[in-house]
Amino acid sequence: MGSLKSIDLVVFLVYFAVVTFYGYWIYRKKKKESVSASHDYFLAEGSLTWWAIGASLIASNISAEQFIGMSGNGYFVGIAVAAYEWIAALALIIIAVWFMPVYLKNKIYTMPQFLKTRYNETVSLIMAIFWLFLYVFVNLTSILYLGAIAISGLIGPEYLHAVMIGLAIFSLIITLGGMKVIGYTDVIQVAVLIIGGFATIYFALTIVGEKFGVGRDAIAGFKTLMQQAPDHFKMILQKPTEASSQSEIDKYLILPGIAMYLAGQWIVNLNYWGCNQYITQRALGADLNTARKGILFAGFLKLMMPIIVMLPGIAAFVLHENGGLQKEMLDASGTVNQDQAYSAILSFLPNGLKGLSIAALTAAIVASLAGKLNSIATIYTLDIHMKYFRKKTKETEGSGAEKSMVWIGKVVAFTSIAIAVIFEWNDLLGINSKGGFTFIQEYTGFISPGVFAMFILGMFWKRTTGQAAVVGLITGLVVILFFKLFAVNIFGHETLLYTAFKNSKGAYEIPFLINMGWSFFFTMLVMIGISLAGPKVNPKAFALDKEMFKVSPQILAMIVVTLLILVALYVKFW
């Protein structure tokens, strides 16, 4: 990869300085306000505007796994991977209208608190511990490693560990300022992310246009992509047959056509956006109208994200298939690696713009790391430490307790990022071999069905019991592991419930999004069956009324615009 020029370094340093000084200004300003120290640090209670909430949601969501992992899947599969982004826009409408009123009316600040309030202490503790492990060993590690791979690919692979440490330190500095600093610096981060992302794809398309003799024209370049790789512009993949190639089968295993919309795709998005501390935390300190506007604004931004994070992968595929990017697509072992697609495209950018693109990448990575670190600190401090390790004395009450909670949160954040660096120093978790985006989706998907079943039944069915929640969580994990590891050996590769296909290693595999769908289905059956044996109305059930779910004309207009764009996209690329 080409080295950076002075202008690239200047552009990057300007970005770094603006984020740092703006974050410090926000930090100094918030210290003068009267919000309690702990609520300000963990929730930025009442101080984030709707546009800050929406921008922060996107900045925290779009990270290395999208820029690198989704671009890699764009290279391999094509536009079908955009389903994760576009269905997210629809999921955010559901979250804004139906989930947020339940959270805010019941003053829910953390997801374990929801489980304790609705079920019991046991469910809350189990999930608090699990979320901490998931956030540290799946999310933090993958974001940090993929981000370091991408940036070091541009400045030199020998800088991998230096970049990793730099990203860790930068994100930790922002995290120490608390959620308000994270929320408002995320506005800058998402602006840099979008500007840099669009600039990158614009130049990528002009390069494609020039390569195929249609001129340095982005629109002509996009049309060329559609002509050169028509299969990469189909949202719905066809189910493989005996005549299908191994490549077609491997694509279907990741994104199993129309079936995924009836199974795991909904669980992935509704669980991620609605039952995830990392995401919901941004809106839980706001009033309902502000929270809804912020979430819907994020949904609108999600519609354009595939252009930034997926389309470069298709451009890299077309260029590579036609003799370009031969060295750029190789990893350290000398083999073609789909996760190299985004950094391969960046290598062609002119001086100055390359610095902006690295700033955009850094913005996405740092925003996600900072948000994740704050969520880890929030869950540990509020749901574990203050309940089970805090000494109940007068000295721990009042302002002393507030400062202690913030200090504990900062220590937890530092410890978490240090663990992530240690585990990804030599990629101990094997993220690189699996493909970054698939790694996150699959391992998160092991418990997503059980967690989502607990939340959806807990919110909207008053009969759901704590015992059903515990059994449901275990059932979801057992079922998905059964389908992944044992079902094919016991029932064969073709049943009424699934079709398994031979993967590239020669073993039969069921698409993991199908596994998630059946895991959710059987978990719901078990939870409903157990709850029917209990009281007709659980004493801990939430009080719901129709007024909670009414939306203002402004909110309704935002929903309609999002739906119209979404329908148009699917009609175009079906």
Side-chain angles (χ1 to χ4, degrees):
M1 301 290 177
S3 59
L4 298 183
K5 303 298 182 182
S6 297
I7 184 63
D8 296 308
L9 187 59
V10 169
V11 170
F12 180 79
L13 289 177
V14 168
Y15 149 74
F16 181 84
V18 169
V19 173
T20 301
F21 285 111
Y22 182 65
Y24 181 72
W25 180 74
I26 293 291
Y27 177 74
R28 295 290 300 175
K29 182 180 177 182
K30 78 183 181 65
K31 287 184 72 175
K32 300 176 183 179
E33 298 174 357
S34 59
V35 179
S36 69
S38 62
H39 276 200
D40 183 71
Y41 181 79
F42 296 116
L43 295 166
E45 188 171 20
S47 61
L48 293 183
T49 59
W50 65 267
W51 45 268
I53 291 172
S56 187
L57 284 169
I58 294 301
S60 297
N61 166 245
I62 301 297
S63 185
E65 71 264 34
Q66 271 80 20
F67 271 106
I68 309 308
M70 187 171 282
S71 186
N73 274 6
Y75 176 94
F76 179 55
V77 180
I79 200 172
V81 75
Y84 282 102
E85 303 298 297
W86 290 341
I87 295 301
L90 193 52
L92 282 164
I93 293 174
I94 295 171
I95 304 304
V97 175
W98 285 286
F99 282 38
M100 289 313 298
V102 178
Y103 288 143
L104 295 180
K105 182 179 180 180
N106 293 280
K107 301 186 185 302
I108 301 298
Y109 299 122
T110 71
M111 296 301 97
Q113 180 200 352
F114 169 90
L115 297 174
K116 179 187 175 184
T117 303
R118 178 58 182 84
Y119 295 118
N120 55 52
E121 193 82 36
T122 301
V123 177
S124 174
L125 180 60
I126 290 172
M127 287 310 303
I129 294 172
F130 173 79
W131 273 314
L132 289 176
F133 272 87
L134 179 70
Y135 288 169
V136 173
F137 292 104
V138 174
N139 297 106
L140 269 188
T141 53
S142 56
I143 293 169
L144 185 63
Y145 182 73
L146 290 173
I149 284 284
I151 296 175
S152 65
L154 288 166
I155 64 177
E158 66 272 19
Y159 295 108
L160 173 66
H161 293 131
V163 171
M164 191 180 295
I165 293 174
L167 291 173
I169 293 173
F170 192 11
S171 60
L172 188 62
I173 290 171
I174 293 177
T175 306
L176 296 179
M179 180 51 72
K180 186 173 181 181
V181 172
I182 293 171
Y184 279 107
T185 54
D186 277 353
V187 176
I188 298 177
Q189 307 275 40
V190 83
V192 173
L193 185 159
I194 290 174
I195 293 170
F198 271 107
T200 298
I201 190 56
Y202 172 81
F203 274 92
L205 292 175
T206 61
I207 291 167
V208 170
E210 189 174 41
K211 171 75 175 177
F212 287 90
V214 296
R216 291 185 65 84
D217 183 289
I219 295 176
F222 179 72
K223 291 179 179 177
T224 301
L225 288 186
M226 295 184 69
Q227 292 168 359
Q228 294 294 320
D231 288 344
H232 275 59
F233 286 90
K234 294 179 180 178
M235 283 298 300
I236 309 299
L237 302 182
Q238 296 301 310
K239 187 175 180 179
T241 64
E242 291 183 1
S244 299
S245 67
Q246 187 59 54
S247 177
E248 290 172 325
I249 293 172
D250 289 341
K251 292 175 184 179
Y252 191 83
L253 287 172
I254 298 172
L255 296 161
I258 195 70
M260 73 178 180
Y261 292 92
L262 304 174
Q265 192 61 246
W266 285 103
I267 300 163
V268 167
N269 278 294
L270 288 171
N271 178 69
Y272 178 85
W273 293 100
C275 315
N276 184 350
Q277 180 72 28
Y278 172 51
I279 294 300
T280 55
Q281 188 167 342
R282 280 138 182 79
L284 293 179
D287 63 82
L288 180 58
N289 194 53
T290 301
R292 277 176 165 168
K293 285 182 180 178
I295 291 170
L296 293 174
F297 177 51
F300 178 77
L301 293 176
K302 287 295 283 184
L303 294 175
M304 69 175 72
M305 286 302 113
I307 300 172
I308 297 173
V309 300
M310 177 273 303
L311 204 52
I314 301 179
F317 172 80
V318 170
L319 289 171
H320 184 256
E321 289 293 298
N322 289 274
L325 301 179
Q326 295 303 304
K327 293 182 179 178
E328 290 81 0
M329 285 303 301
L330 302 180
D331 60 19
S333 65
T335 58
V336 174
N337 184 347
Q338 65 186 46
D339 282 346
Q340 296 287 119
Y342 194 81
S343 54
I345 287 294
L346 293 188
S347 69
F348 280 117
L349 298 183
N351 296 334
L353 185 57
K354 193 178 294 184
L356 179 62
S357 295
I358 292 177
L361 255 179
T362 304
I365 296 160
V366 168
S368 289
L369 288 173
K372 190 68 70 178
L373 287 171
N374 189 273
S375 295
I376 291 167
T378 300
I379 290 177
Y380 177 81
T381 305
L382 301 185
D383 295 300
I384 295 181
H385 190 90
M386 300 307 290
K387 289 180 181 179
Y388 302 104
F389 299 107
R390 178 187 179 193
K391 293 180 180 179
K392 303 276 186 176
T393 63
K394 291 183 179 180
E395 287 74 18
T396 59
E397 302 299 329
S399 61
E402 294 288 327
K403 292 179 180 178
S404 175
M405 291 167 69
V406 172
W407 183 84
I408 290 165
K410 291 178 178 179
V411 171
V412 169
F414 175 82
T415 304
S416 300
I417 197 67
I419 292 172
V421 170
I422 291 169
F423 269 80
E424 284 315 307
W425 196 256
N426 292 308
D427 191 20
L428 294 180
L429 300 177
I431 294 171
N432 194 44
S433 62
K434 239 183 157 18
F437 193 70
T438 302
F439 173 86
I440 293 172
Q441 298 303 329
E442 187 167 355
Y443 282 100
T444 303
F446 281 148
I447 59 95
S448 294
V451 172
F452 183 57
M454 280 198 305
F455 272 78
I456 198 76
L457 288 177
M459 284 186 191
F460 302 111
W461 194 39
K462 293 183 177 182
R463 196 160 184 168
T464 316
T465 65
Q467 182 185 12
V470 174
V471 176
L473 180 64
I474 296 170
T475 300
L477 180 60
V478 169
V479 170
I480 203 165
L481 287 174
F482 174 79
F483 274 99
K484 180 177 177 60
L485 301 175
F486 306 110
V488 174
N489 291 332
I490 296 173
F491 300 117
H493 60 85
E494 184 77 49
T495 72
L496 289 174
L497 299 184
Y498 63 80
T499 299
F501 303 92
K502 278 190 176 180
N503 59 28
S504 56
K505 296 179 181 179
Y508 278 102
E509 180 181 339
I510 306 169
F512 72 87
L513 285 171
I514 303 300
N515 290 346
M516 288 178 65
W518 285 118
S519 175
F520 177 72
F521 175 78
F522 287 115
T523 299
M524 290 285 283
L525 283 183
V526 168
M527 288 186 66
I528 290 170
I530 293 174
S531 296
L532 287 174
K536 289 187 177 181
V537 177
N538 190 286
K540 288 197 168 189
F542 293 129
L544 306 178
D545 60 77
K546 292 182 180 179
E547 293 297 318
M548 292 171 57
F549 305 110
K550 286 186 175 180
V551 298
S552 66
Q554 191 175 18
I555 297 295
L556 183 60
M558 294 176 75
I559 292 172
V560 171
V561 168
T562 300
L563 290 176
L564 288 175
I565 295 173
L566 191 60
V567 169
L569 288 169
Y570 268 86
V571 169
K572 172 64 178 175
F573 296 110
W574 185 271

